[in-house]
Amino acid sequence: MKLIQNYLRLLFVLMCLSMVHAQDTQIQFLSGTGYQDTKDWEFKISKGRNSDKWSTIGVPSVWEQEGFGKYQYGIKFYGKPFPDGIADEVGMYKYAFEVPKNWENKRVNIVFDGVMTDAEVQINGRSAGAVHQGGFYRFKYDITDLLEFGKSNLLEVTVSKESKNASVNLAERRADYWNFGGIFRPVFLEALPATHIARSALRAEADGTFEAAVFLGNGTQGLAARVSIYEKSGKKIGKTLSGQLADGSDKILLSGSFENIKTWTSETPNLYEVRIELLKNEKVIHKIDETIGFRTIEIKKGDGIYVNGTRVLMKGINRHSFWPESGRTLNKQLNYDDARLIKEMNMNAVRLSHYPPDPEFLAACDELGLYVMDELGGWHGHYDDAVGKKLVRETVIRDLNHPSIIFWSNGNEGGWNTNLDNQFAIWDIQNRPVLHPQQELNGVETMHYRSYGETLEYLRGDHIFMPTEYLHGLYDGGHGAGFDDYWEVLRNHPRSGGGYLWVFADEGVVRTDQDGRIDNQGNFGADGIVGPHHEKEGSFFTVKEVWSPVMITTPHKLTQDFNGEFDIENRYFFTDLSECRVEWELANFAKPDDAQIGHISIQKNTVENFQLAPQTTGKLKINLPKDWKKADVLYLKVIDSQGKELWTWSYTWDKESQLPTSTLSRTPTLVETEALYQVTASQTVLKFTKNDGKLASVTQAGKTIGFKNGPQIIMARRGDRTLDGTINPDFEKGEDRIYKEFACIDEEVNCSESLINLTAKKVENLIKIEASYHGILQKVLWTIHPDGLLQMDYEYEYNGVTELAGIYFDYPESMMRSKKWLGAGPYRVWQNRLKGTTLDVWENEYNDPIPGESFNYPEFKGYFRDWQWAQFKTTEGTIELFNKSSDTYLGVYSPRDGRDALLYTLPQTGIAVFDVIPAVRNKVNATDLVGPSSQPRWLHGTQRHTLYLKFKN
């Protein structure tokens, strides 16, 4: 009897489990889930590498990265045909699969998340439906009647890289990005009850209002639906909503209101789970789960963009779906990593250029908090009406329930078909705004790449100005360069909507046909603020600082009577600063010969529960110890509610000089020859040429160190400066490039000088050699200390406009190994990109990456601000420089431009000290067009500086 009872109990449990199981949509993947998780399918390609033979390929993937076909960048170069013709390969896929016998009473769909570009699908030799055209969209076929349940089935997919529809090619494949082919997103089966929920459309507003449209796979009588909403913890909120299917309808409509909900914003990404159940005769026959956020989007024309009734600015970036090894095939980790990096830059918005992304990226934006502009394909060409309407539907019904999506974009830069503008609302219950990037629509002007002056003009117009692309990156230019100027204008104007930088990452593909080199198609794909593998460039941190939602605005040099009170701004739109904390730290800097890099902490503490309302300013009080000025530096770090650093500010104050001093008393020896003064101090031998008073050579402990030929003066401007950024023909030298060399040329600046007087003498236990000049360089006083310490006091005078001003010494790069320095770092700066660094002791090995081709950051070479000392280790010995005034720039050789020399061509300046450094342009606008900080500086009067040099083995 007990055995029978146990059997009946087990049977009941199995029946219950079967009923529950039957209510869910069942998923069976035919492919892998993404990059590094693929399944092998049979494959043959018609042309290119490994063509005309059956082999296998991992799915999902782009076939170029699997060794098939040929690579092609999508843009027609300057209107000319593709150099090697159109890559019109056709790929044929086969895959055998089984479906469970117990699926016989279900409806089974095969779902493709993305196939480039035309896809013809057959099951067991029979067509699954019409050829799908459009590469970035989810599409599905009902294949129930084509399957053999419990047996093997054959899936065949023919994929054409070029579409037979010319409008699809214009929209997707004649664009400024890599063209790929293949089944690049997952393929899966979904098994549904015979009567089921086909999809849902949800609207959840900030006031708690909720609507749901539950669409049915097939119409039948006596159906009802109910909706329950849960917090992430599983706690149910409010009442269950229910509704009946009206006669003749294909959907069930439900509505209600929920109280005490937590709204969704980029700062507070509060999410809820929605359980939707379909009932027949009061029994659940199917259920699905969706994720929502309660939020309201509104464009107030002539005013601004409002989220939940608060005007917000888009601090955004454009983003491609891309990874070097896998092209457009990503996975959950890569999608979430992209979203996290974007958030790390203190951004709150992302434009999905120029096609819908993986669903996992949208889930990341929902969860982490990013406002999304979801874009229909279309670069400079657009889809025709018939295909476009289908693709709008596929875009919207897949993505509409994501709270992160606040805009739809109908193509890019003329790639919009205006006949499709009204199609989005047909499928979108939320009726989100539709935009045209680079054109005004719905009260939002999105024009791209306006100069700083033009930006001011656009903001004077009647529409909200929100450029969907601006400050076009290239190599080390754009993004952070001039960004602070632009943002101050956009941040403060009442008709600004913010903007979107171009672009997130370099689109450099690992070429499987070229030994794995990364190919950015010259400069076409090298536009990212991070490298192909998300290597962080200097502009990454400039943007992070400028877009920090909390700003401490007290000047970085504290006065002697400082009372611990800092000026602070809360630039959040929704968050009180009580949600954040401020960490402060007093520290001393490591010394040049210390093994430690960075700083040594002395004392630290945390300020919590500091209240300051959004969009207001206030005072932050730090209770510093009485002896705080004994430290070298004070750091203030703001941490958000998730424990992430927003930014760290550093503060210093006047202290007793820590410049090097001599420890020996023995007087150096001075020997004069016909051509030289030679000074020997301990193990250091210094030679100065008598004809010009310059340092000619250095010998340390009998070994030559090739630091010499200085100080040389540099005072230069670009030769191509014009108001519209075009090349000035007066400076043409037969070179077809945007930027000509800096030069001390007679037409601009005469940097030559002539020696007037030179003296050498002993003063106490020192040797002093003094040179005076006629020219820009006026005077140099060399003081040699007994232990070999070399002090150089110099002055020069210039009155005029310049872009590079200072002095330098020669030292061969081939001998350089590393540098260690106390200054703002670790990234180099430009005149128009000074933010994004932190004062500390930094170190990096010598590197010389080629922009767009190699990606070693931070770069060794360039200009470095707020420096106090620098130690260079070479194959010959160690060179140390100490700076008496921290308001100069350390120059370490000259930044390398790309091979095409589009950004700058700079004079070679060795190891230098500058008063003025150049600005850098972006890909679209020359420096004279990107704001006040990018303009040449007016230098006037006499510049006086003291530099100390020390040489060691």
Side-chain angles (χ1 to χ4, degrees):
M1 186 67 177
K2 187 174 182 180
L3 183 62
I4 294 174
Q5 289 176 338
N6 288 338
Y7 173 77
L8 292 174
R9 187 179 294 113
L10 177 62
L11 183 62
F12 177 75
V13 169
L14 291 174
M15 288 175 61
C16 292
L17 289 173
S18 177
M19 289 176 63
V20 172
H21 191 60
Q23 295 168 7
D24 292 323
T25 302
Q26 293 176 260
I27 300 296
Q28 177 180 321
F29 277 91
L30 303 183
S31 70
T33 59
Y35 173 54
Q36 297 181 324
D37 177 28
T38 63
K39 289 184 180 179
D40 286 340
W41 291 18
E42 293 181 72
F43 182 72
K44 182 172 74 170
I45 196 167
S46 63
K47 296 180 179 180
R49 293 174 297 154
N50 295 310
S51 59
D52 291 327
K53 58 183 178 182
W54 283 100
S55 57
T56 60
I57 191 171
V59 179
S61 67
V62 297
W63 62 51
E64 294 83 356
Q65 295 308 88
E66 299 296 304
F68 298 96
K70 73 175 182 180
Y71 288 90
Q72 185 175 80
Y73 199 80
I75 195 169
K76 283 188 175 181
F77 295 92
Y78 304 104
K80 299 177 182 178
F82 290 108
D84 301 319
I86 291 174
D88 56 351
E89 306 106 0
V90 175
M92 289 158 279
Y93 294 80
K94 292 181 181 180
Y95 185 69
F97 64 97
E98 292 187 6
V99 291
K101 181 71 173 174
N102 63 4
W103 280 14
E104 281 186 310
N105 296 322
K106 297 180 180 296
R107 303 305 299 178
V108 181
N109 295 326
I110 186 169
V111 183
F112 294 82
D113 260 344
V115 179
M116 292 183 287
T117 299
D118 287 0
E120 181 181 356
V121 181
Q122 291 187 329
I123 303 292
N124 296 325
R126 299 166 62 190
S127 174
V131 172
H132 184 270
Q133 296 177 322
F136 299 98
Y137 307 89
R138 173 181 286 179
F139 60 97
K140 63 177 67 176
Y141 301 102
D142 184 340
I143 59 171
T144 309
D145 297 337
L146 305 179
L147 294 172
E148 295 187 29
F149 295 92
K151 298 180 181 179
S152 179
N153 296 268
L154 180 63
L155 167 64
E156 296 175 281
V157 186
T158 302
V159 179
S160 300
K161 190 171 178 180
E162 280 279 305
S163 177
K164 291 183 179 179
N165 185 309
S167 78
V168 173
N169 292 327
L170 286 174
E172 297 183 10
R173 311 199 68 77
R174 307 298 183 262
D176 190 4
Y177 49 71
W178 286 102
N179 282 344
F180 294 106
I183 302 173
F184 74 104
R185 288 177 180 162
V187 183
F188 57 92
L189 302 178
E190 57 178 16
L192 306 156
T195 302
H196 59 267
I197 302 167
R199 61 185 177 88
S200 68
L202 308 178
R203 183 174 74 89
E205 299 291 329
D207 62 0
T209 301
F210 177 84
E211 291 183 34
V214 181
F215 293 86
L216 306 181
N218 49 5
T220 185
Q221 298 295 318
L223 293 179
R226 66 188 182 203
V227 171
S228 302
I229 301 181
Y230 300 86
E231 295 178 352
K232 282 293 186 178
S233 64
K235 179 183 177 182
K236 186 173 180 291
I237 67 167
K239 296 180 179 180
T240 297
L241 306 178
S242 59
Q244 302 289 325
L245 177 65
D247 291 342
S249 179
D250 66 344
K251 60 182 177 291
I252 301 172
L253 301 177
L254 305 93
S255 63
S257 184
F258 294 85
E259 297 180 352
N260 301 318
I261 52 94
K262 296 178 180 178
T263 56
W264 188 96
T265 72
S266 70
E267 298 169 21
T268 57
N270 297 304
L271 297 174
Y272 292 86
E273 295 298 326
V274 179
R275 171 67 52 85
I276 305 174
E277 296 172 309
L278 183 64
L279 299 91
K280 185 172 185 178
N281 299 325
E282 299 184 354
K283 292 183 180 180
V284 178
I285 60 174
H286 188 211
K287 63 181 176 64
I288 62 173
D289 293 323
E290 299 279 6
T291 299
I292 63 164
F294 287 89
R295 56 99 182 97
T296 300
I297 308 301
E298 183 180 8
I299 292 177
K300 295 185 179 180
K301 293 189 177 182
D303 183 359
I305 297 163
Y306 284 75
V307 175
N308 304 342
T310 296
R311 180 173 173 263
V312 299
L313 299 177
M314 299 299 118
K315 300 187 294 183
I317 191 80
N318 287 266
R319 183 249 187 191
H320 271 297
S321 298
F322 190 84
W323 190 246
E325 282 75 16
S326 58
R328 307 227 181 275
T329 299
L330 304 181
N331 57 28
K332 182 177 181 179
Q333 182 68 45
L334 290 173
N335 278 295
Y336 270 76
D337 284 349
D338 277 14
R340 290 188 184 100
L341 268 180
I342 291 169
K343 289 288 288 187
E344 187 180 335
M345 284 185 279
N346 290 318
M347 296 177 174
N348 65 4
V350 59
R351 175 186 171 214
L352 303 175
S353 50
H354 299 289
Y355 40 79
D358 300 88
E360 290 168 330
F361 183 75
L362 294 175
C365 294
D366 293 341
E367 180 182 328
L368 301 175
L370 285 169
Y371 301 122
V372 171
M373 184 184 300
D374 199 355
E375 188 155 297
L376 183 73
W379 190 61
H380 286 184
H382 60 72
Y383 302 113
D384 63 31
D385 288 2
V387 170
K389 288 177 180 180
K390 294 177 183 178
L391 299 181
V392 170
R393 177 187 180 276
E394 290 172 355
T395 299
V396 177
I397 66 171
R398 190 198 73 167
D399 294 348
L400 68 91
N401 290 336
H402 289 281
S404 56
I405 298 173
I406 65 170
F407 303 118
W408 301 115
S409 166
N410 181 9
N412 169 70
E413 294 184 355
W416 52 78
N417 178 347
T418 57
N419 293 336
L420 303 179
D421 288 340
N422 62 358
Q423 293 295 304
F424 293 86
I426 293 173
W427 309 105
D428 183 13
I429 192 175
Q430 298 179 34
N431 196 23
R432 295 171 177 90
V434 178
L435 302 180
H436 284 175
Q438 199 176 274
Q439 188 186 66
E440 184 276 323
L441 185 66
N442 289 321
V444 182
E445 173 60 75
T446 57
M447 181 56 70
H448 293 175
Y449 305 120
R450 298 303 89 187
S451 69
Y452 180 82
E454 290 172 320
T455 297
L456 297 176
E457 288 300 317
Y458 271 83
L459 287 168
R460 295 186 185 105
D462 296 329
H463 304 296
I464 300 164
F465 183 51
M466 184 186 72
T468 38
E469 295 179 26
Y470 74 117
L471 290 176
H472 194 306
L474 175 64
Y475 310 149
D476 200 27
H479 294 134
F483 175 57
D484 200 16
D485 292 335
Y486 270 78
W487 185 244
E488 282 305 295
V489 170
L490 291 171
R491 182 175 71 87
N492 289 298
H493 200 280
R495 280 190 296 278
S496 170
Y500 299 78
L501 299 168
W502 182 270
V503 62
F504 173 58
D506 285 355
E507 199 174 350
V509 64
V510 170
R511 293 289 295 261
T512 58
D513 60 343
Q514 296 180 8
D515 297 322
R517 82 171 180 94
I518 292 182
D519 185 1
N520 265 314
Q521 188 62 32
N523 66 68
F524 280 88
D527 302 336
I529 201 167
V530 297
H533 289 105
H534 295 173
E535 302 91 341
K536 296 176 183 177
E537 301 179 11
S539 287
F540 181 99
F541 297 95
T542 305
V543 172
K544 180 180 175 70
E545 179 178 356
V546 172
W547 269 347
S548 172
V550 180
M551 297 294 290
I552 299 174
T553 57
T554 299
H556 289 266
K557 191 70 172 289
L558 301 181
T559 61
Q560 291 297 314
D561 60 351
F562 178 66
N563 63 0
E565 195 171 74
F566 291 88
D567 296 315
I568 188 168
E569 293 184 25
N570 182 355
R571 295 185 182 176
Y572 278 115
F573 298 103
F574 300 95
T575 305
D576 190 279
L577 289 197
S578 59
E579 298 291 321
C580 302
R581 69 178 191 271
V582 179
E583 296 179 354
W584 63 265
E585 179 182 20
L586 287 168
N588 285 333
F589 293 122
K591 302 295 189 292
D593 290 330
D594 291 347
Q596 179 173 336
I597 305 300
H599 58 268
I600 300 95
S601 181
I602 297 173
Q603 185 175 345
K604 60 176 64 176
N605 211 330
T606 300
V607 180
E608 298 188 71
N609 299 317
F610 173 74
Q611 295 185 350
L612 188 64
Q615 298 292 299
T616 64
T617 62
K619 300 287 186 180
L620 173 70
K621 178 70 175 180
I622 303 293
N623 294 320
L624 294 172
K626 292 182 179 179
D627 60 350
W628 63 272
K629 286 182 282 190
K630 291 183 179 179
D632 291 336
V633 64
L634 170 66
Y635 292 112
L636 291 182
K637 179 187 295 185
V638 180
I639 310 293
D640 71 7
S641 60
Q642 304 301 310
K644 306 295 185 183
E645 178 210 35
L646 298 178
W647 190 249
T648 298
W649 291 264
S650 56
Y651 293 89
T652 58
W653 44 90
D654 289 330
K655 290 188 64 178
E656 185 178 342
S657 175
Q658 298 185 28
L659 294 169
T661 57
S662 180
T663 57
L664 300 177
S665 58
R666 181 179 176 182
T667 301
T669 61
L670 174 64
V671 176
E672 181 179 1
T673 67
E674 183 178 351
L676 296 166
Y677 286 120
Q678 177 174 303
V679 180
T680 302
S682 187
Q683 294 184 304
T684 305
V685 179
L686 305 168
K687 293 181 180 180
F688 302 87
T689 51
K690 294 175 69 176
N691 67 323
D692 61 9
K694 305 294 176 62
L695 179 65
S697 70
V698 176
T699 303
Q700 181 65 30
K703 187 174 183 180
T704 298
I705 296 178
F707 186 88
K708 60 184 179 179
N709 295 338
Q712 301 177 61
I713 198 77
I714 182 73
M715 193 72 52
R717 289 190 61 188
R718 289 179 176 91
D720 72 330
R721 181 165 300 282
T722 63
L723 293 178
D724 62 0
T726 58
I727 297 174
N728 185 337
D730 293 338
F731 296 97
E732 288 279 8
K733 299 178 182 178
E735 300 164 305
D736 184 16
R737 60 176 61 164
I738 295 175
Y739 270 82
K740 302 302 180 184
E741 292 189 4
F742 272 104
C744 287
I745 53 178
D746 291 338
E747 295 93 332
E748 289 287 311
V749 179
N750 187 339
C751 291
S752 64
E753 77 270 336
S754 57
L755 184 66
I756 298 175
N757 187 46
L758 180 68
T759 61
K761 58 184 177 182
K762 294 182 180 180
V763 179
E764 298 179 347
N765 62 338
L766 306 173
I767 299 293
K768 290 183 178 286
I769 300 174
E770 184 171 355
S772 57
Y773 302 91
H774 174 75
I776 294 176
L777 184 63
Q778 303 251 299
K779 185 171 73 172
V780 178
L781 173 61
W782 302 97
T783 302
I784 301 93
H785 295 255
D787 61 352
L789 177 67
L790 177 60
Q791 177 180 338
M792 184 182 75
D793 297 277
Y794 66 97
E795 56 187 65
Y796 65 90
E797 183 176 359
Y798 179 71
N799 294 284
V801 175
T802 185
E803 293 172 87
L804 190 64
I807 59 97
Y808 67 97
F809 292 83
D810 292 336
Y811 188 79
E813 285 189 46
S814 60
M815 303 290 189
M816 190 62 71
R817 287 183 173 176
S818 67
K819 76 172 182 292
K820 179 180 179 182
W821 78 103
L822 168 56
Y827 290 84
R828 68 190 184 198
V829 298
W830 299 90
Q831 179 181 295
N832 56 353
R833 197 192 76 187
L834 296 179
K835 290 187 175 180
T837 54
T838 302
L839 185 65
D840 210 336
V841 176
W842 307 97
E843 184 175 38
N844 66 334
E845 300 295 315
Y846 174 84
N847 63 62
D848 190 22
I850 300 172
E853 299 178 41
S854 51
F855 309 93
N856 192 347
Y857 303 108
E859 301 98 330
F860 184 85
K861 296 156 58 169
Y863 312 114
F864 301 87
R865 64 186 284 253
D866 297 341
W867 75 287
Q868 297 180 33
W869 55 260
Q871 182 185 75
F872 297 94
K873 291 187 177 180
T874 77
T875 57
E876 301 175 323
T878 299
I879 305 166
E880 292 181 347
L881 282 72
F882 299 86
N883 184 22
K884 189 172 184 180
S885 59
S886 60
D887 58 349
T888 58
Y889 299 92
L890 174 68
V892 183
Y893 301 112
S894 298
R896 181 197 281 267
D897 200 354
R899 293 182 189 272
D900 47 17
L902 283 179
L903 287 187
Y904 43 74
T905 303
L906 303 170
Q908 297 303 306
T909 49
I911 307 301
V913 178
F914 295 118
D915 288 285
V916 179
I917 59 173
V920 65
R921 64 168 292 152
N922 59 55
K923 196 171 188 177
V924 175
N925 297 125
T927 52
D928 51 336
L929 301 176
V930 287
S933 68
S934 303
Q935 305 312 305
R937 277 193 52 190
W938 180 266
L939 195 66
H940 60 89
T942 302
Q943 312 299 316
R944 295 181 176 88
H945 298 296
T946 298
L947 190 67
Y948 294 85
L949 299 101
K950 186 75 175 178
F951 305 96
K952 302 178 182 179
N953 292 117

